Amino acid sequence: MSRNDVVLVTAATGRQGGATARALLAEGRTRVRVLVRNPEAPNARALAAAGAEVVVGDLDDPASLRAACAGTRAVFSMQSPIVSATGVDFSKERQQGRNLVEAALAEGVETFVHTATTGVGAHRDVEGWAEGRWKFHEEYWENKLATCDRVRTAGFKHWTILLPATFMDHAMLDPAGFVDGRQLLTVVRVDKPIGLIAPEDIGKAAAAAIHEPAKFHGVTLELAGDVLTLPQITEVLSRVDGKEYGVQSSTIEEAVAAGLHPGVAQGMTYMNVAPVLARPEIARSYGLSPMSFEAWARLRREMT
């Protein structure tokens, strides 16, 4: 590899950034630099042990981002709201996206791969949006769209936007959280298809866009490895675990009474009206091979 062939991965201690860093390290085609706030964190130390160059910085600190971007040819970008015990803070996400884009441009980065979430850009057309039904979701979606639009118009030689579907390791789909260990209680309709993606496959898609920037230039990729209803998901889990799981769609009040956070319960009802945009055939059309939910679940059980 070239001495100057360096890729910066932000959010490297999280699921998507970590998956991207690991995918790049496994392929060995580029040097990997990871941006972390705490180099002593277990995930940061694991990436360093795997061969990544660890640099300390913060998305709120433009100077640290300039230093991290210096000498790199590509950047993997992700920002998210800050979740804490006191609630969700949406106030920093847009500025953090702007900071990273501007730092990358200033340092001459040619390829910028950004990840958001499925449906960004189509959210304004969702049933009830114009009437204000999803007002409590507005800041989340509009922040995501603002950064995606900034990436599209920034002037990078190559840019790609990944819009991943629901993570296969979403807490909702973990039998450990089922009622009595058997029943998935949810506010999502049982007949509603859900796009699913393994976090590992987000990393592989990002790595593909970094390695083949011309192929993925200008692409906004709705990314899924499977599309299943909740009953189909519990059928898969029943086969994999050798247990009989079921699913029950409930009201928000019933879900909250069973222990689901009120904000989470309300937010998940959005899935009932949002269109399924991410599908496996889209990813395959770009040469990607994302895992099915069953393949991912079996692999996950083998690893634990």
Side-chain angles (χ1 to χ4, degrees):
M1 67 185 73
S2 165
R3 181 176 176 83
N4 295 322
D5 189 12
V6 182
V7 173
L8 174 67
V9 178
T10 65
T13 57
R15 280 188 290 189
Q16 297 189 63
T20 300
R22 289 190 295 273
L24 291 167
L25 288 165
E27 292 172 2
R29 296 166 58 184
T30 185
R31 294 165 58 201
V32 180
R33 179 181 296 168
V34 296
L35 181 74
V36 303
R37 288 192 298 270
N38 177 12
E40 297 304 316
N43 287 354
R45 292 173 66 89
L47 289 170
E53 174 194 357
V54 176
V55 297
V56 177
D58 195 297
L59 292 173
D60 293 322
D61 180 2
S64 73
L65 297 180
R66 284 285 302 266
C69 288
T72 66
R73 70 167 181 85
V75 167
F76 172 80
S77 160
M78 196 206 81
Q79 301 82 45
S80 60
I82 301 169
V83 180
S84 69
T86 58
V88 182
D89 180 2
F90 295 98
S91 66
K92 294 185 176 183
E93 187 174 353
R94 286 198 197 199
Q95 187 59 50
Q96 288 178 342
R98 179 197 293 268
N99 289 345
L100 185 57
V101 166
E102 291 181 350
L105 288 172
E107 293 300 328
V109 172
E110 293 188 346
T111 300
F112 198 92
V113 178
H114 177 70
T115 182
T117 191
T118 184
V120 170
H123 61 278
R124 294 174 181 171
D125 298 324
V126 166
E127 176 188 328
W129 186 273
E131 295 76 23
R133 179 179 172 188
W134 307 108
K135 191 70 176 177
F136 62 95
H137 264 350
E138 186 172 317
E139 195 168 12
Y140 172 86
W141 289 101
E142 290 296 306
N143 282 350
K144 298 293 184 191
L145 178 59
T147 303
C148 288
D149 283 347
R150 184 173 300 279
V151 171
R152 292 184 178 107
T153 60
F156 292 108
K157 182 177 180 180
H158 300 114
W159 61 263
T160 304
I161 292 173
L162 304 179
L163 302 182
T166 299
F167 291 173
M168 291 180 181
D169 62 354
H170 192 291
M172 172 180 65
L173 309 180
D174 185 351
F178 290 2
V179 177
D180 297 327
R182 297 284 181 167
Q183 191 83 357
L184 192 168
L185 184 67
T186 179
V187 297
V188 180
R189 295 196 334 251
V190 294
D191 63 340
K192 176 67 179 182
I194 300 171
L196 300 163
I197 188 69
E200 298 91 330
D201 286 328
I202 302 172
K204 291 176 183 177
I210 287 167
H211 289 315
E212 300 179 83
K215 177 179 178 179
F216 286 87
H217 173 58
V219 172
T220 298
L221 179 57
E222 292 278 0
L223 187 60
D226 216 338
V227 177
L228 299 171
T229 63
L230 287 173
Q232 289 172 327
I233 288 170
T234 54
E235 287 172 12
V236 168
L237 293 173
S238 295
R239 284 197 300 273
V240 171
D241 291 346
K243 299 180 180 179
E244 192 63 37
Y245 297 122
V247 57
Q248 177 186 342
S249 186
S250 68
T251 65
I252 291 176
E253 292 75 18
E254 289 169 335
V256 171
L260 194 61
H261 186 282
V264 173
Q266 185 182 30
M268 287 177 66
T269 61
Y270 180 87
M271 297 174 70
N272 288 329
V273 296
V276 181
L277 301 178
R279 301 185 304 279
E281 60 269 24
I282 301 174
R284 289 196 291 266
S285 72
Y286 285 94
L288 303 172
S289 302
M291 287 182 279
S292 69
F293 180 69
E294 183 158 354
W296 173 84
R298 291 190 183 281
L299 181 63
R300 177 59 63 96
R301 268 76 174 161
E302 289 173 3
M303 296 171 61
T304 57

